[in-house]
Amino acid sequence: MLLQLWNETVSYFSGSLGKLELLASTLLIINVYLLAKEKISNYWFGFAGVLIYGYLFKEYGLLSDMWLQWAFYVPLQVIGYIIWKWGARSKSTGVVNMNVSFLHPIVIICICAMLMMISYLWAPIMIAQGADPIFAKADAMIMWASIAASLLLLFKVIENWVLWIMIDIVAIPTYWLKGMHVTAMLYV
C-alpha cells in the first residue's frame, strides 16, 4: 500500500499538471511569506501563482475556480501592487493605515445565505461551459465565498475568517477528490 502511494505520487509529479501544481503552490507560499514581510515583490509571485492555478483549475474541470483566479485574483494582484507602489501610506511606517471593523452577526448570516444562493445559480452556468458537474456547486461556492472573503479582508473586516473557514471546509475535500492534493494541503 505504501509502495503504491509512493508510485502514484512519483507518477503525478512526473506529469506536467503535478509539476505545475507544485510550482503554483510554491509561488503562492512565497507570495504569502513576502506579503507578511510587507515586500512589494509578493505581487509578482502571487500574479504568477494565480495565472498557473487558473490553468490548473481549467484542466481539472473546476471552471469557477479558474474564473476566480483569472478574473478576480489576477486583477487583485495588479491593484494591490499599484496601491502598495503609489497608494496612500503612512510617512512613519510606510504602510497603508486602515482600522479593523466588525460586522453584526445577522450580516454574516445574510452574506453566507446570499453566497449559497449565488453558488446554486452559478453552478449550472459553469456546467454548461464544461465544468465537472459533480463538483460544480462546491466549486461555485469556493469562488463566490473567496471573492466575498477577499473583499472583507481588503477592508479589514475581522469576520472574514468565518468565510475562509467555510471555504476551507468545502475546498479541501473538493481539491483532494479532484486529485489536487498539494492544493488541498495548501488550504489546511
Side-chain angles (χ1 to χ4, degrees):
M1 182 169 149
L2 213 50
L3 182 61
Q4 180 184 358
L5 180 62
W6 172 255
N7 289 336
E8 288 174 8
T9 302
V10 169
S11 174
Y12 176 73
F13 287 114
S14 298
S16 60
L17 291 181
K19 290 174 185 168
L20 281 176
E21 184 182 6
L22 190 57
L23 175 61
S25 297
T26 303
L27 288 168
L28 292 182
I29 289 169
I30 294 169
N31 165 248
V32 170
Y33 173 78
L34 292 172
L35 186 60
K37 295 287 186 182
E38 298 183 355
K39 303 288 185 193
I40 195 168
S41 58
N42 82 80
Y43 289 105
W44 298 110
F45 292 93
F47 187 81
V50 297
L51 281 175
I52 294 168
Y53 259 118
Y55 173 77
L56 285 168
F57 287 130
K58 178 179 176 274
E59 291 300 305
Y60 279 96
L62 299 171
L63 299 187
S64 293
D65 267 319
M66 175 198 75
W67 284 112
L68 173 66
Q69 303 302 309
W70 288 347
F72 185 74
Y73 284 135
V74 166
L76 198 60
Q77 297 297 316
V78 173
I79 291 165
Y81 180 83
I82 290 168
I83 289 171
W84 277 37
K85 183 83 173 165
W86 296 288
R89 296 176 159 277
S90 163
K91 290 184 193 234
S92 62
T93 64
V95 177
V96 176
N97 253 346
M98 292 178 67
N99 294 325
V100 173
S101 58
F102 300 89
L103 292 177
H104 190 280
I106 297 295
V107 175
I108 297 169
I109 291 168
C110 288
I111 289 171
C112 291
M114 182 181 67
L115 290 170
M116 289 177 12
M117 183 181 69
I118 291 169
S119 300
Y120 182 78
L121 297 172
W122 180 260
I125 296 168
M126 291 296 96
I127 291 169
Q129 300 299 316
D132 185 332
I134 295 171
F135 294 96
K137 287 181 184 158
D139 187 33
M141 199 290 295
I142 294 166
M143 180 186 85
W144 289 107
S146 294
I147 291 170
S150 295
L151 293 174
L152 291 176
L153 182 61
L154 182 67
F155 291 104
K156 286 192 147 182
V157 176
I158 198 76
E159 292 85 2
N160 70 77
W161 64 269
V162 173
L163 292 180
W164 289 120
I165 290 171
M166 184 175 81
I167 292 162
D168 288 348
I169 289 169
V170 175
I172 293 168
T174 298
Y175 298 152
W176 189 267
L177 291 171
K178 286 296 287 182
M180 299 179 76
H181 299 145
V182 175
T183 304
M185 295 307 292
L186 194 62
Y187 277 70
V188 171

